């Protein structure tokens, strides 16, 4: 990002410090956006003072804008694993702002067979091992990405 955005990112110490930063958002009505906005409001952020620079319906498009240095975005840490590993983005924890979301398995109401059924049974057998490790990774705070 440009020098002005880099300096602004260095001063982010709370959720309120997001006001004035160019933000890249999911489209209005998206579930992830609603969760983020609710948490921001709970942390004293006036949503009307946020810079809704871009409102995009695709995580891939959001990542592209962030990598280009056009703003910062809230994305799942799972969605940006590769971009972090490649050095295209970095995480920015915000003290006091913690967001956890619970996801559920969605399956057909009929019996699953074949490879899909095998995967479902395997994933359920690993649930106890996977959930604690995911929860411990998330204790560092919410994730904001910004291009390098």
């Amino acid at each position: 990002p440009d020098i002005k955005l880099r300096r602004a990112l260095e001063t982010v110490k709370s959720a309120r410090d997001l006001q004035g930063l160019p933000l890249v958002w999911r489209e209005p009505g998206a579930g992830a956006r609603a969760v983020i906005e609710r948490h921001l409001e709970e942390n004293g952020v006036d949503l009307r003072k946020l810079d809704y620079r871009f409102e995009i319906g695709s995580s891939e498009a959001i990542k592209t804008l962030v990598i280009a240095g056009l703003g910062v975005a809230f994305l799942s840490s799972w969605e940006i694993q590769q971009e972090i590993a490649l050095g295209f983005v970095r995480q920015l924890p915000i003290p006091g702002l913690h967001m956890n979301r619970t996801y559920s398995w969605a399956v057909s109401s009929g019996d699953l067979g074949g490879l899909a059924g095998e995967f479902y049974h395997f994933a359920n057998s690993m649930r106890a091992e996977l959930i604690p490790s995911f929860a411990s990774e998330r204790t560092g705070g919410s994730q904001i990405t910004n291009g390098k």
Side-chain angles (χ1 to χ4, degrees):
D2 66 25
I3 191 69
K4 183 178 175 183
L5 180 54
R6 283 187 191 271
R7 286 186 185 140
L9 290 171
E10 291 172 8
T11 67
V12 174
K13 304 292 184 225
S14 73
R16 287 187 188 153
D17 294 332
L18 295 171
Q19 295 173 178
L21 291 178
L23 301 177
V24 183
W25 289 88
R26 289 300 306 231
E27 73 279 7
R33 177 174 170 165
V35 169
I36 293 164
E37 288 179 331
R38 186 181 79 241
H39 281 283
L40 290 174
E41 284 182 314
E42 289 170 0
N43 280 272
V45 175
D46 182 348
L47 298 180
R48 295 170 298 180
K49 293 183 179 179
L50 293 176
D51 180 351
Y52 289 81
R53 181 81 42 108
F54 299 99
E55 295 177 312
I56 309 293
S58 155
S59 293
E60 291 302 314
I62 291 171
K63 289 190 284 187
T64 299
L65 292 172
V66 170
I67 290 168
L70 297 175
V72 296
F74 285 96
L75 291 165
S76 161
S77 57
W78 291 103
E79 287 182 291
I80 57 171
Q81 291 180 81
Q82 183 175 353
E83 290 79 5
I84 290 171
L86 294 171
F88 295 147
V89 301
R90 65 182 174 93
Q91 295 177 339
L92 178 65
I94 300 176
L97 186 61
H98 301 280
M99 290 182 258
N100 294 316
R101 263 186 105 173
T102 303
Y103 292 89
S104 299
W105 288 100
V107 297
S108 168
S109 58
D111 289 336
L112 284 177
L115 189 57
E118 289 180 41
F119 174 75
Y120 175 74
H121 293 295
F122 168 75
N124 276 327
S125 73
M126 299 294 293
R127 184 182 299 186
E129 295 175 39
L130 295 175
I131 292 175
S133 65
F134 177 75
S136 67
E137 281 183 31
R138 301 293 294 173
T139 59
S142 62
Q143 308 303 317
I144 293 185
T145 62
N146 68 293
K148 280 194 158 187

